[in-house]
Amino acid sequence: MAQQTNIAAQTAFAEAVGTGNLDALDDIVAPNAIDHDPAPGQGPGPDGYKDMFGQLRAAFPDLHVQVEHLLATDDELAFAYVITGTHLGPLMGQAATGKKVSYRGMQISRFDSDGHLVERWGSSDELGMLRQLGLV
């Protein structure tokens, strides 16, 4: 049952990011959650995720994350994904390019017994994304 709870929490996380309803992350991410691989300037807990994904969605309003492979244990999920979007807003101080991107990432998420995200490890191909935008 824990696996299904964690998958539901991760699905709700993805839905919040995909729709821009980032306040939903308050119910998914534990207040003391640790991100072992935070984005530059990302703060702790739900607010850190809301700020980071808010900036990403401002840069890519059509942001979409597609999970391609998922493995689950009772308290962890590991998954590979593809992020797509069109660069229509500022990103890291750079003006919009109007270019489309598609890049990969992987993540491991650990959940507590209530299905709240408490720890995350992950990496996305940000250099590949910046190359596609012509910013490096």
Side-chain angles (χ1 to χ4, degrees), residues 2-4 6 71-78 109:
Q3 289 180 7
Q4 293 307 316
N6 298 340
L71 296 171
T73 68
D74 284 343
D75 65 345
E76 293 179 321
L77 297 178
S109 300

Side-chain angles (χ1 to χ4, degrees), residues 29-122:
V29 179
N32 59 345
I34 298 168
D35 191 334
H36 294 281
D37 301 298
Q42 178 182 337
D47 288 337
Y49 286 104
K50 291 190 312 189
D51 290 343
M52 187 266 295
F53 281 113
Q55 291 177 33
L56 196 58
R57 285 194 50 79
F60 301 96
D62 61 345
L63 180 74
H64 180 72
V65 180
Q66 178 67 45
V67 173
E68 292 193 327
H69 189 73
L70 174 74
L71 296 171
T73 68
D74 284 343
D75 65 345
E76 293 179 321
L77 297 178
F79 54 98
Y81 56 87
V82 174
I83 297 174
T84 57
T86 310
H87 186 210
L88 300 175
L91 176 70
M92 297 185 232
Q94 301 292 320
T97 63
K99 294 180 179 179
K100 293 186 180 294
V101 298
S102 177
Y103 60 102
R104 297 180 142 304
M106 298 187 80
Q107 179 171 313
I108 300 170
S109 300
R110 189 173 68 80
F111 297 86
D112 64 16
S113 60
D114 295 320
H116 294 105
L117 177 68
V118 294
E119 212 166 358
R120 177 202 167 273
W121 298 262

Side-chain angles (χ1 to χ4, degrees), residues 12-14 16-17 21-30 46 49-50 53:
F13 190 108
V17 170
N21 179 20
L22 299 177
D23 286 336
L25 297 178
D26 289 330
D27 297 327
I28 302 164
V29 179
Y49 286 104
K50 291 190 312 189
F53 281 113

